Amino acid sequence: MEFTTARKTHNRQIFLKSLLISTHRTLAQLWFMAAGYRKALSYAEQIRSADAAADSRHVDNSLQVLMAHCHYQLSDYRSSTALISSVIEQADQPEESWLQLLRASYQAQNDYEKTARVLETMVELFGKPDYFLALSAIYGQLGQQARQISLLESLHEKRQLTSASHLKALGILYVQQGMPAKAAAVLGYGIDSNHLEASAENLRLLAQAWLRARNNDSAIKVLVRASSLHNDKKVDLLLARTFLTMRDWESAATGLQRVLDNQGNKDSEVWLLLGMARFHQGDYASAESAFINARDRGKAWVHKSARQWLNHVQAEQKKSMTATPGLAM
């Protein structure tokens, strides 16, 4: 009978302890949901202390995860990292939310290398486009542009890269890595599919990619379109410069005159370029007038260049004047 009483007492103690732990767990969860993270941690620590006193070998994953979240919310990222890492290491298959917390904890500590390793695991396990994009951004932070491009490129090939900022980023990365034709293809796709706005800036970026790829004809088509849609000095000036490069002096002069008209005839560099276009057209009078405007309005280097061109124009004018009587004879 004494054995039976002792057994009942023992069972009662176990029951009360279990009830206390269950109550503490509920209180920890309630405080966590109410953003009372320190209170939640206090109750969770009491449960851990009780397990330790009982020499329990059971690891309560859900409790450790809750504590890791509390530490994260309290900006104690090291403690959060230690707890959630322990949970992940002991699991056969880590849960997605655990990895999300670990990634956030490392990123909050600006530990981009470990953040990258976590995201690599998430990409491998779950393959979500958001994780590809996040990993590409981290590779960018680490200066690993080749890996960054590879991830963005894989999404683009699957037509899963639809954000304007990401399409533009890929285009810029291609240019930076010496692949302007690929940049033009991506930016052109973005604009044609309406994922990327046909703004003056985006069209100019596309044209510059074509120019770097030495495809002047495609660049001009884009710039003509941009010029028709937007009253933008940078677009018009780039178009005029492209015509100058192609030795299309008439189109260059027309474009440069448009820039001057829209900008109040104040840009000395544009006057200098206009003078060059008029000179190559053989219109020395107009060229001289343009160079005088450039000389009188310009900074030091424009002033110097304009003076040199003026000397050149005046020399050509003298040649023309002295050649004319001879021809008449």
Side-chain angles (χ1 to χ4, degrees):
M1 188 171 180
E2 290 179 3
F3 174 76
T4 302
T5 302
R7 186 175 182 181
K8 286 182 178 179
T9 301
H10 179 68
N11 288 342
R12 178 181 173 81
Q13 289 174 342
I14 292 174
F15 171 75
L16 289 173
K17 180 182 176 181
S18 177
L19 181 61
L20 182 62
I21 290 173
S22 177
T23 302
H24 283 171
R25 182 185 296 278
T26 301
L27 287 169
Q29 292 169 340
L30 288 171
W31 276 112
F32 178 79
M33 288 187 289
Y37 303 116
R38 295 193 186 281
K39 284 279 190 180
L41 274 174
S42 175
Y43 284 112
E45 287 289 359
Q46 291 180 53
I47 297 171
R48 285 219 305 185
S49 297
D51 286 342
D55 196 23
S56 173
R57 295 183 180 180
H58 171 68
V59 178
D60 192 334
N61 280 346
S62 62
L63 184 68
Q64 291 217 120
V65 170
L66 183 142
M67 293 176 70
H69 276 288
C70 287
H71 282 301
Y72 179 83
Q73 294 296 333
L74 293 168
S75 301
D76 185 358
Y77 304 120
R78 291 185 182 276
S79 296
S80 177
T81 299
L83 281 165
I84 200 65
S85 294
S86 176
V87 172
I88 291 170
E89 287 168 6
Q90 295 174 39
D92 294 329
Q93 177 76 22
E95 293 185 13
E96 188 173 358
S97 61
W98 301 349
L99 291 167
Q100 287 172 337
L101 178 58
L102 182 60
R103 165 206 167 185
S105 297
Y106 279 137
Q107 201 157 350
Q109 298 173 72
N110 296 323
D111 192 335
Y112 297 121
E113 290 186 0
K114 289 182 180 177
T115 302
R117 287 202 289 270
V118 176
L119 280 166
E120 285 166 355
T121 300
M122 296 172 79
V123 164
E124 183 180 348
L125 291 177
F126 310 112
K128 293 183 178 180
D130 284 350
Y131 298 149
F132 277 84
L133 292 171
L135 182 55
S136 75
I138 294 298
Y139 283 150
Q141 292 280 355
L142 292 169
Q144 299 176 6
Q145 277 74 28
R147 285 185 170 186
Q148 186 181 15
I149 287 176
S150 178
L151 287 173
L152 293 175
E153 194 171 49
S154 66
L155 289 175
H156 177 59
E157 288 172 354
K158 298 172 187 174
R159 290 296 184 257
Q160 292 178 333
L161 197 68
T162 56
S163 161
S165 61
H166 292 130
L167 284 166
K168 193 170 181 177
L170 180 56
I172 291 171
L173 281 167
Y174 274 140
V175 170
Q176 291 173 345
Q177 296 299 306
M179 295 180 278
K182 283 192 171 185
V186 168
L187 295 169
Y189 161 76
I191 292 170
D192 292 342
S193 62
N194 295 320
H195 293 313
L196 199 57
E197 182 188 359
S199 64
E201 180 185 350
N202 290 337
L203 288 167
R204 181 163 49 84
L205 189 63
L206 173 57
Q208 287 171 331
W210 280 126
L211 288 171
R212 285 175 179 262
R214 298 186 179 181
N215 190 330
N216 291 339
D217 290 338
S218 293
I220 284 175
K221 288 178 183 177
V222 173
L223 288 168
V224 167
R225 177 186 176 186
S227 183
S228 67
L229 293 174
H230 308 283
N231 183 15
D232 186 275
K233 175 188 173 181
K234 291 181 179 179
V235 166
D236 290 338
L237 189 53
L238 182 58
L239 178 58
R241 284 181 178 278
T242 304
F243 282 132
L244 282 174
T245 302
M246 298 177 69
R247 298 179 179 274
D248 185 345
W249 312 119
E250 183 177 354
S251 297
T254 300
L256 290 164
Q257 189 62 61
R258 172 178 169 167
V259 173
L260 288 169
D261 292 342
N262 290 337
Q263 298 299 318
N265 297 332
K266 295 179 180 179
D267 195 317
S268 60
E269 186 178 353
V270 179
W271 276 114
L272 181 66
L273 295 174
L274 178 59
M276 292 164 62
R278 293 300 189 197
F279 175 83
H280 286 294
Q281 283 182 288
D283 186 350
Y284 299 134
S286 296
E288 183 178 26
S289 175
F291 288 134
I292 289 171
N293 272 289
R295 181 196 63 188
D296 294 345
R297 299 168 186 267
K299 297 177 182 178
W301 75 268
V302 177
H303 179 85
K304 180 179 179 181
S305 184
R307 285 182 62 187
Q308 291 172 343
W309 273 102
L310 275 170
N311 291 336
H312 197 39
V313 169
Q314 289 163 1
E316 290 297 319
Q317 286 176 322
K318 286 182 181 179
K319 286 182 185 178
S320 297
M321 291 174 66
T322 54
T324 303
L327 288 172
M329 290 172 63

